[in-house]
Amino acid sequence: MTKSVVVGTAGHIDHGKSSLVLALTGTDPDRLKEEKQRGITIDLGFAHARVGDMDLAFVDVPGHERFVKNMLAGVGGIDAVLLVIAADESVMPQTREHFAICRLLRIPRGVIALTKTDLVDGDMVEVAAMEARGLVEGSPLADAPIVPVSARTGAGLDALRDALAAAGARAETRTASGAPRLPIDRVFSMRGFGTVVTGTLTQGTLRVDDELVILPADRRVKVRGLQVHGASQATAEAGRRVAVNLGGVEVADVRRGDTLTAAGAFAVTRRFDALVELLPDSKALRHGARVRFHHGTAELLARVALASTADPVEHAEPALAELQPGRRAFARVRLEAPAVLARGDRFVIRQYSPPITIGGGTVLDPLPVRSPIRTAAAARRLVRLASSDAEAAMAFVEESRAAGMAADALARRAGAVPSGPVVAVGSTLYSAVVVTDLETRLVAEVDAYHRTQPMSEGMPREEARERVFGAAAPALFDDVVQRLVKAGRLGGRDRLALPGRGVSLSDEEAKAQAALERVFQDAGLAPPDIAAAAASARVASAVADRVSKLLLRQKTLVRVDTLLFHADALGRLKREVAGMKGTAAKVDVAAFKERYGISRKYAIPLLEWLDRERVTRRVGDARVIL
Ligand SMILES: Nc1nc2c(ncn2[C@@H]2O[C@H](COP(=O)(O)OP(=O)(O)O)[C@@H](O)[C@H]2O)c(=O)[nH]1
Ligand SMILES: [Mg+2]
């Protein structure tokens, strides 16, 4: 199969980038009328050529300092850079800035072309070559071939093609599996087709008829057609320049910087944690500074809240006031509009005004929860996030505590399997440490319940869940209970009990309990004593004694002086008397007896109980309702 490699140009204005792309491909990448008239590149240009069995797609970028933002939109998905330096001018400001951007974006390889060699003598070419070597020293391009060429005479073009093919051959094949990711660099309308977007497919595969989304707006679209280098195709794989004809969306609804992808595959976020690095020749970056954030084909405004240093130092401050040139720090970046981010993405930051490239970084957490970042604990967390994907995934699962983390959300946030032990309940992951802690707390809670309620069979299941698990998913609680039951550490269904603890009623006792309760319920405010209740419930008095104690523990029966009442009867009485406040300001014993049809034996203790419960207050012989 043909290998496809995307090459981006880089270099100062007028150094011959566009001329070189034209000479290599036969296509003039300056496609705009204004570009042709003024003879300068304003926006990205595209062309392609076959070299051997390799397909080289060129993204030609503008060199003018005013259009670096367009350069940034083009350089995102490239496999190799063609760094163009005119032999007559040598290294110039945008040579440095473009190359710095390539380094910040971790573009791993490239070729250096010394152009316009037809204008200078051999010594000048040597000087330019030396300066070029100095520029790339210590970078991935340190050993890149330096090829003298002339677009005018054609000298050196074959050697340049070979050098590009060799760089392309070493380029890693991008992963064609997983969700497609196309940062959009152009949107236009084609007569008879409708909306077309283009870009470098950095990951996954696009297929005709795919149902996708445009982020961050989350518009549903359908792939109607695909083209690679002007030829229609049914599928297009990562690492290709593609044009996608989209159904379901107007040109006005899509812009450069948007991402075409599958629903749910990427985080849409306004806040992320990052490892930020400043270029050695930039100014210091203030905590909270406003910057231009470039990522993929998007440019957004952002503020950088500095956390701790990411350089090895002896006494790390958890809260940096300023990041010094050439240094690295952890930071939380707050975006003024949403971005489509994944952990590991590289980005570039430029000064707000004047816009100069000052640094860049790596996304560590695209979806951090709101939390302080300028603390020692935050510093430890950020070091951990920077250490590895698996470690970061584990940190995210641990941070989710008892709420857990959905497996698909974790994939979006970390893109890796957690490094430590996790427990899966359905598709939600919990840290094993958190689950063990919940088990211990649940057992302790049930133990405490047994101690305060020795006559109870155990802690009501719901109460245990609310106390220990709070808002956590009931499925986690059920899972933990099941685990403890299986391990023989817990028993029970509606009530949870520790093995060997809690009262368990025999069949006879359970029946007696129900019968006795019914007697007291029916008796209302004139209950019998235990012996009479046992007789009418046909329960042996020894059993009635035991069971009534249990009913008292459970607060089903309530003792008032020497009498036992059913809790429901007392509750009703309380509500009724309180409700009489409007109609009768006072209650006296006679009226009370009459109203409830009870004797003095019951009326006096009940009225005194109402006083104690602050429903009534005794004034002389009567009571006022409070
Ligand atoms: N003599 C000579 N002129 C060149 C060569 N390459 C480009 N030029 C000229 O330099 C100017 C700038 O070239 P261009 O490709 O637009 O530069 P870019 O801004 O880097 O894209 C144009 O006038 C080109 O004709 C070359 O190899 N030799
Ligand atoms: Mg140009």
Side-chain angles (χ1 to χ4, degrees):
M1 217 183 88
T2 319
K3 185 164 183 184
S4 172
V5 175
V6 181
V7 177
T9 61
H12 201 70
I13 184 165
D14 263 352
H15 276 205
K17 296 181 292 300
S18 300
S19 303
L20 206 48
V21 170
L22 171 60
L24 289 167
T25 65
T27 304
D28 183 358
D30 285 340
R31 61 203 154 78
L32 303 177
K33 209 159 94 193
E34 194 189 346
E35 291 178 321
K36 304 235 193 250
Q37 274 167 4
R38 290 170 62 186
I40 69 160
T41 308
I42 295 168
D43 207 343
L44 302 173
F46 308 96
H48 65 98
R50 249 189 120 79
V51 179
D53 62 352
M54 193 173 303
D55 201 22
L56 293 181
F58 287 90
V59 178
D60 183 41
V61 307
H64 195 291
E65 63 175 315
R66 270 185 50 212
F67 304 129
V68 175
K69 55 182 277 179
N70 292 339
M71 179 270 179
L72 274 155
V75 82
I78 67 172
D79 299 300
V81 57
L82 173 56
L83 182 61
V84 176
I85 302 173
D88 58 343
E89 282 195 338
S90 191
V91 172
M92 296 289 281
Q94 267 65 54
T95 320
R96 293 184 190 285
E97 186 170 12
H98 283 195
F99 183 62
I101 287 168
C102 291
R103 285 189 78 171
L104 289 169
L105 293 178
R106 299 285 189 265
I107 291 158
R109 63 188 63 77
V111 173
I112 301 162
L114 299 180
T115 51
K116 303 195 185 183
T117 52
D118 58 294
L119 295 179
V120 296
D121 58 23
D123 286 352
M124 286 285 280
V125 176
E126 274 306 305
V127 170
M130 265 173 54
E131 288 197 13
R133 201 50 90 203
L135 175 68
V136 299
E137 197 188 319
S139 81
L141 261 64
D143 299 319
I146 299 180
V147 188
V149 295
S150 166
R152 184 142 305 166
T153 67
L157 288 181
D158 283 338
L160 182 58
R161 277 193 195 92
D162 290 347
L164 286 169
R170 289 199 313 277
E172 274 168 44
T173 310
R174 288 170 186 269
T175 156
S177 61
R181 188 181 202 188
L182 183 78
I184 294 168
D185 53 33
R186 268 190 311 164
V187 186
F188 53 89
S189 151
M190 250 173 87
R191 205 203 304 261
F193 287 94
T195 305
V196 176
V197 300
T198 69
T200 306
L201 185 62
T202 55
Q203 162 188 325
T205 300
L206 288 171
R207 292 179 189 81
V208 172
D209 289 339
D210 272 354
E211 313 253 350
L212 300 174
V213 288
I214 303 248
L215 298 180
D218 203 16
R219 282 177 205 287
R220 309 213 151 246
V221 292
K222 185 165 177 174
V223 177
R224 283 213 207 117
L226 282 172
Q227 285 198 348
V228 176
H229 304 325
S232 289
Q233 313 220 325
T235 66
E237 291 192 346
R240 309 236 163 201
R241 290 283 318 162
V242 294
V244 191
N245 178 207
L246 293 176
V249 73
E250 298 294 320
V251 167
D253 295 331
V254 192
R255 55 190 63 80
R256 170 177 288 178
D258 288 351
T259 299
L260 177 67
T261 182
F266 287 94
V268 175
T269 178
R270 284 171 179 266
R271 173 176 76 233
F272 67 95
D273 289 341
L275 180 58
V276 171
E277 59 187 278
L278 272 200
L279 292 172
D281 54 1
S282 93
K283 280 193 283 186
L285 180 70
R286 240 180 339 97
H287 168 61
R290 197 170 188 223
V291 299
R292 294 168 190 278
F293 168 77
H294 293 265
H295 166 264
T297 53
E299 178 190 8
L300 302 169
L301 293 175
R303 283 192 192 277
V304 181
L306 296 173
S308 44
T309 178
D311 291 319
V313 290
E314 234 165 75
H315 301 289
E317 285 280 327
L320 284 177
E322 261 190 358
L323 179 57
Q324 299 305 321
R327 293 303 181 87
R328 305 183 312 153
F330 296 113
R332 176 156 297 173
V333 183
R334 294 188 177 85
L335 301 165
E336 293 179 17
V340 182
L341 295 185
R343 180 177 150 84
D345 283 357
R346 294 289 304 180
F347 59 86
V348 167
I349 53 175
R350 305 188 79 214
Q351 188 172 284
Y352 178 68
S353 179
I356 303 164
T357 303
I358 53 174
T362 310
V363 176
L364 295 178
D365 182 1
L367 290 167
V369 290
R370 276 179 207 284
S371 55
I373 56 152
R374 288 162 69 79
T375 61
R380 282 194 298 277
R381 172 182 178 268
L382 289 162
V383 166
R384 199 173 168 201
L385 297 194
S387 70
S388 77
D389 285 347
E391 194 58 31
M394 194 62 218
F396 296 151
V397 172
E398 277 171 28
E399 281 166 22
S400 73
R401 306 277 324 153
M405 183 125 218
D408 56 347
L410 182 67
R412 264 198 302 280
R413 208 165 145 195
V417 174
S419 61
V422 295
V423 172
V425 178
S427 59
T428 308
L429 302 179
Y430 302 88
S431 153
V433 175
V434 169
V435 173
T436 305
D437 179 52
L438 286 168
E439 285 175 2
T440 311
R441 278 172 50 207
L442 180 59
V443 168
E445 199 69 45
V446 174
D447 179 52
Y449 186 89
H450 282 313
R451 257 179 283 140
T452 54
Q453 309 282 331
M455 291 301 291
S456 168
E457 2 165 5
M459 186 167 193
R461 198 179 165 98
E462 265 310 284
E463 190 183 330
R465 191 181 66 73
E466 268 166 35
R467 287 184 77 103
V468 181
F469 286 71
L476 173 63
F477 171 70
D478 292 343
D479 189 82
V480 165
V481 169
Q482 231 173 51
R483 235 172 246 284
L484 290 170
V485 169
K486 227 187 237 161
R489 294 171 63 196
L490 201 65
R493 300 185 120 263
D494 295 344
R495 283 173 180 267
L496 302 178
L498 300 187
R501 303 270 295 278
V503 206
S504 49
L505 298 180
S506 65
D507 265 7
E508 189 200 357
E509 286 168 329
K511 272 195 202 119
Q513 186 188 27
L516 269 183
E517 189 183 338
R518 211 170 313 117
V519 167
F520 281 96
Q521 203 144 32
D522 293 346
L525 297 177
D529 61 17
I530 280 293
S536 72
R538 296 174 206 283
V539 168
S541 69
V543 176
D545 261 10
R546 250 199 334 273
V547 166
S548 65
K549 280 200 188 95
L550 185 57
L551 287 168
L552 275 165
R553 287 276 185 200
Q554 289 174 350
K555 300 198 166 59
T556 306
L557 294 185
V558 177
R559 185 184 299 282
V560 176
D561 290 351
T562 56
L563 305 169
L564 294 183
F565 291 88
H566 195 282
D568 290 352
L570 290 179
R572 253 192 323 270
L573 172 68
K574 211 163 149 178
R575 279 195 301 279
E576 256 180 55
V577 174
M580 277 157 50
K581 189 174 162 66
T583 49
K586 287 191 172 160
V587 193
D588 61 24
V589 178
F592 188 73
K593 279 168 55 186
E594 160 121 20
R595 182 182 168 106
Y596 291 102
I598 51 177
S599 67
R600 219 180 147 74
K601 171 182 159 196
Y602 301 107
I604 298 297
L606 282 173
L607 281 167
E608 283 169 359
W609 176 76
L610 284 171
D611 290 343
R612 286 198 299 279
E613 293 287 306
R614 306 203 186 290
V615 178
T616 53
R617 191 175 72 233
R618 186 166 179 176
V619 180
D621 277 343
R623 284 176 164 79
V624 286
I625 300 169
L626 296 172

